[in-house]
DNA sequence: CATGAATGAGCTTTCATTCAT
DNA sequence: GATGAATGAAAGCTCATTCAT
């Protein structure tokens, strides 16, 4: 008679232009609330209000609140992945330094624009049924970087790739929590960490 | 998260052993739930049940649910801080490597025993009114390490200290999420990151 | 994150006296609403209000709205079954007519006191996950009557039993919908139907 | 059941063939849903989808959801009534047995083709504002049969007519719930009940 | 003090109905 | 007329917190 909320997949595809606008408004509103107020303040009425639509409309496109979170996570992830892929794209021709430089820059961009949002999504990932998907993506990303490292004769490339990612993320998150927003200096420090690590691998 | 708490200080200082035991039971139950089921499953009835007491009793010792979280965060933090202090204690006499070694080991210990709990607390910290306290503690910790680094003639010691902490945390968290539990190899990799970074500071 | 509503079994057993009073108040209120206003007007807020309690209390004892309906159905059924059992109890000693008389009287009692409630429950049974339970009970009841008929040398006793039950129910329901409340004349007509049927069996 | 309807009359008399086809599609879809899934699963979007039209179109032809139910009830009723009228039509010439035979057969036909639908409509009738109409129809039907009985010198013909209808309905419903679909044997049993009753009237 | 029943604000979700295109 | 997006009242249900015993 009531309340199911099991699947997390988007409900129906927006066909008309205004429908797509509604979906976007929902996602934007959600992101904005997470950035400004945090997960505990996120509720569907608040989202609808912020998006300037009715709750009913929200549920036309998303079966549950978590489904919205899921879509945002997927989108943000895809964005980052695309940028990283671009950075890694020409690994045959470019040298190690240039590529690392690009990787770091892309990651900074992704995490520092909406830092609170980024952290919340990272956290939310843990309780959404996204485990497999998340693992797959991480696997892909790490693999991609590992290939690149291998091409440059670096040993144990998968572990190294994982640790590099960890270092980049670690320094960015800590700095963003400390309110440090100077991206140039941040990049310098991250590259120090990454390059330092690499030097000690051989 | 509703019913916003006014105060988050523990309601009374339990003077008797029995009372202290109850408080501990509550904190343990909360930690266990967070580790096993995560924040969304944490509610006061569940805590009370797990702790083997009644909700009423719970509220004898904690004014709000968040107060419990707050105390756990403080305790875990204090534990880590104590261990780090010990590691840093004899910085006059010990050398850099030995001390870093101890620092890393203490951090691994703290984060890997209850990895999900550790991440949850880190996240929860963000929406509890702990900002000042958290900043102070981080400030202290970074300062302490910075002093130590300065003593070893390392430049820009505060930023370096912060980044080292970030690297350690970053690698541990990523590894723990990837299910890597071999602490020895983890330590080796972390020290690679830290030492690598330090080499490139000068 | 919310809303499950799968099981239909009562949630926790009332231990204190006032808890039992609450459960009773809920069941009474539900029955009253069904009798007066019908199923479409039945909602948990309305029940709670009518019962003079809060919705929260309602959900302490029943996991879903349907669970309440289920319990009422079971209770009413048990009542009827007990009375029928009593009527059938001494089938060795009593004769056919006396026993049929009692059966009919018990059924009239059960269906005519709260006629709208009785019809609603009969209907609700169809969409509650009670199929097996309902079948079992009907099987039992029919079997019990069939044994009795067999003892009186009536052929095809299971089908006959089923049809007798159907005739009794049919006449009562139609009469109650037509607003006929004279139980004596009703009984006479029902017995006419039952005895007439039996005469044509042999 | 919310958003109570003011009027339940069909919104317009469809004059064109296309419109009539749409109306039929809506009614068929509704009947199909009721038979397969039951009243709790009946909602206007579901109906429209099943009928292959849009909700908007549905509301071109029916002012409320209940109006659809109402029309279905009226149609099914009319069908039954027509068949019964036919069976009773030549009551001057035909004898009692033949006529009863036809009556029973028509009723079986009406109730067994879509048993769940039939029961649902019977139930729904109770909460739709059809009371007067329903009473009138029952009155007509019972009267018609009563006349026929009177013609055959049966006493108290109105009550007898009502009880005969009740017996027929009762046995059919119970049998259909029990999954008995053999119409021949069913007819035999019903006639046993009806004739038995009639024998005891005199 | 402990217990656990009770409370009710607040959140999620549905669905009959309307309305812009 | 048809479409399907949008609306929002209303219902289901939870859980932090209080309070009678």
């Amino acid at each position: 008679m009531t309340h199911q909320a099991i699947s997390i997949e988007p409900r129906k595809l927006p066909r008309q232009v205004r429908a797509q606008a509604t979906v976007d408004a929902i996602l934007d509103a959600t992101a904005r609330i997470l950035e400004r107020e945090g997960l505990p303040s996120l509720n569907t009425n608040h989202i609808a209000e912020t998006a300037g639509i009715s709750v009913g409309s929200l549920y036309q496109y998303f079966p549950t609140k978590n489904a919205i979170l899921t879509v945002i996570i997927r989108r943000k992830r895809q964005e980052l992945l695309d940028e990283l892929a671009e950075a890694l794209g020409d690994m045959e021709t470019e040298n190690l330094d240039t590529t690392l430089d690009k990787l770091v820059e892309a990651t900074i961009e992704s995490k520092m624009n909406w830092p609170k949002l980024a952290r919340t999504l990272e956290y939310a990932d843990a309780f959404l049924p996204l485990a497999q998907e998340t693992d797959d993506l991480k696997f892909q990303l790490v693999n991609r970087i590992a290939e690149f490292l291998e091409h440059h004769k670096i040993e144990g490339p998968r572990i190294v790739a994982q640790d590099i990612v960890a270092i980049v993320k670690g320094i960015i998150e800590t700095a963003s929590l400390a309110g440090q927003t100077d991206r140039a200096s941040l990049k310098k420090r991250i590259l120090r960490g990454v390059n330092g690590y690499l030097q000690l691998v051989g």
Side-chain angles (χ1 to χ4, degrees), chain A residues 25-59:
Chain A
I26 293 166
L27 295 172
D28 287 355
T30 304
R32 226 152 53 228
I33 292 169
L34 290 178
E35 182 61 33
R36 287 189 198 149
E37 311 172 40
L39 195 51
S41 299
L42 190 75
N43 68 63
T44 50
N45 289 306
H46 195 171
I47 294 173
E49 198 182 6
T50 306
I53 59 164
S54 68
V55 231
S57 289
L58 188 156
Y59 279 94

Side-chain angles (χ1 to χ4, degrees), chain A residues 111-141:
Chain A
K111 300 260 175 199
M112 298 284 285
N113 275 337
W114 311 96
K116 202 170 162 189
L117 172 65
R119 263 175 283 130
T120 302
L121 294 181
E122 198 105 6
Y123 168 70
D125 182 87
F127 64 78
L128 296 174
L130 278 170
Q132 194 50 56
E133 200 177 326
T134 299
D135 286 353
D136 289 353
L137 265 165
K138 285 186 181 162
F139 186 80
Q140 270 182 49
L141 172 60

Side-chain angles (χ1 to χ4, degrees), chain A residues 6-10 62-64 66-68 70-71 74 128-130:
Chain A
I6 282 155
S7 165
I8 238 175
E9 298 309 310
F62 299 95
T64 67
N66 282 344
I68 306 176
T70 304
V71 169
R74 285 194 184 125
L128 296 174
L130 278 170

Side-chain angles (χ1 to χ4, degrees), chain A residues 66-139:
Chain A
N66 282 344
I68 306 176
L69 277 179
T70 304
V71 169
I72 296 192
I73 288 177
R74 285 194 184 125
R75 285 205 178 181
K76 287 279 164 199
R77 233 180 221 163
Q78 199 54 52
E79 276 174 35
L80 177 56
L81 223 62
D82 288 349
E83 289 179 42
L84 295 181
E86 199 184 340
L88 287 163
D90 34 15
M91 65 174 167
E92 304 290 326
T93 58
E94 300 263 30
N95 65 2
L96 188 63
D97 283 352
T98 319
T99 302
L100 286 177
D101 198 276
K102 283 182 185 167
L103 282 179
V104 168
E105 207 151 275
T107 311
I108 290 177
E109 223 46 49
S110 157
K111 300 260 175 199
M112 298 284 285
N113 275 337
W114 311 96
K116 202 170 162 189
L117 172 65
R119 263 175 283 130
T120 302
L121 294 181
E122 198 105 6
Y123 168 70
D125 182 87
F127 64 78
L128 296 174
L130 278 170
Q132 194 50 56
E133 200 177 326
T134 299
D135 286 353
D136 289 353
L137 265 165
K138 285 186 181 162
F139 186 80

